[in-house]
Amino acid sequence: MGRVALMFCIAVPAVVFLFSSSPVTVNMPVLKGFNFSGGITVIPELVALLLALSIYTAAFIAEIVRSGINSVSDGQKEAALSLGIGPVKTLKLIVIPQAMRAIVPPLTSQYLNLTKNSSLAMAIGYPDLVSVFAGTTLNQTGQAIEIIAMTMAVYLTLSLATSLVMNVYNKKVMLTER
């Protein structure tokens, strides 16, 4: 499972980046006149947006994981320890698989909340980006309903894809009845 996740997180974007013939240039910032030229520009709004969403969402996810682990009864942990299974293996083989059944449903809701919160944060933090799509394009075409429907379709697609992936994973970890 870890290798597949690593492939999707690193290898697939790297292959797409290389085959899209995107130029990769690394240059050091140089002082020219009264300003710097080159390097990477970090926008303060992006840093604030990233920190706020990360800390806010991490707090909720940490609480979900904590409550999921606490939902496993102490008898399970004590039975594993009495069989001579160490604390790390107990957590890995007994507690986490049972806790995932309680963790996945609220975690799905939290991921969907993150999608909604990031869209709101983009509208507030980057009004120029939103104005290009919903402002300039709207003024050029004059078709407000279609532009807003396209924006809604993008977020609907993201939400449905997130929900689909999490529901498939939930079915995998769900307890099967006989």
Side-chain angles (χ1 to χ4, degrees):
M1 182 73 177
R3 291 180 183 169
V4 173
L6 182 66
M7 182 185 74
F8 278 116
C9 291
I10 295 174
V12 172
V15 168
V16 170
F17 182 75
L18 291 175
F19 283 121
S20 66
S21 68
S22 298
V24 179
T25 58
V26 177
N27 54 4
M28 294 296 291
V30 178
L31 183 61
K32 288 187 178 178
F34 292 111
N35 205 353
F36 285 97
S37 174
I40 298 173
T41 304
V42 179
I43 303 167
E45 290 88 358
L46 177 65
V47 174
L49 178 82
L50 186 67
L51 279 174
L53 277 178
S54 298
I55 292 171
Y56 178 77
T57 306
F60 280 100
I61 290 176
E63 182 62 24
I64 290 168
V65 171
R66 184 202 62 78
S67 64
I69 289 174
N70 282 344
S71 71
V72 178
S73 68
D74 290 334
Q76 297 285 324
K77 300 170 196 167
E78 291 169 0
L81 291 175
S82 69
L83 290 172
I85 301 174
V88 174
K89 277 195 168 186
T90 300
L91 187 67
K92 184 177 176 183
L93 299 174
I94 296 168
V95 175
I96 296 296
Q98 292 180 47
M100 288 305 286
R101 295 184 184 116
I103 290 172
V104 172
L107 195 60
T108 302
S109 296
Q110 193 57 41
Y111 286 157
L112 293 173
N113 282 339
L114 178 61
T115 304
K116 290 186 291 186
N117 292 343
S118 65
S119 66
L120 179 62
M122 288 296 289
I124 293 170
Y126 288 103
D128 51 340
L129 182 69
V130 175
S131 70
V132 166
F133 189 64
T136 306
T137 308
L138 182 63
N139 288 335
Q140 294 290 327
T141 62
Q143 299 178 354
I145 295 174
E146 289 83 357
I147 299 297
I148 300 302
M150 285 175 26
T151 307
M152 289 171 36
V154 167
Y155 283 107
L156 177 66
T157 304
L158 286 173
S159 295
L160 288 177
T162 302
S163 182
L164 176 73
V165 168
M166 291 301 288
N167 283 335
V168 166
Y169 185 70
N170 191 26
K171 293 256 192 259
K172 183 179 175 186
V173 298
M174 194 172 19
L175 190 62
T176 55
E177 295 188 20
R178 299 175 192 212

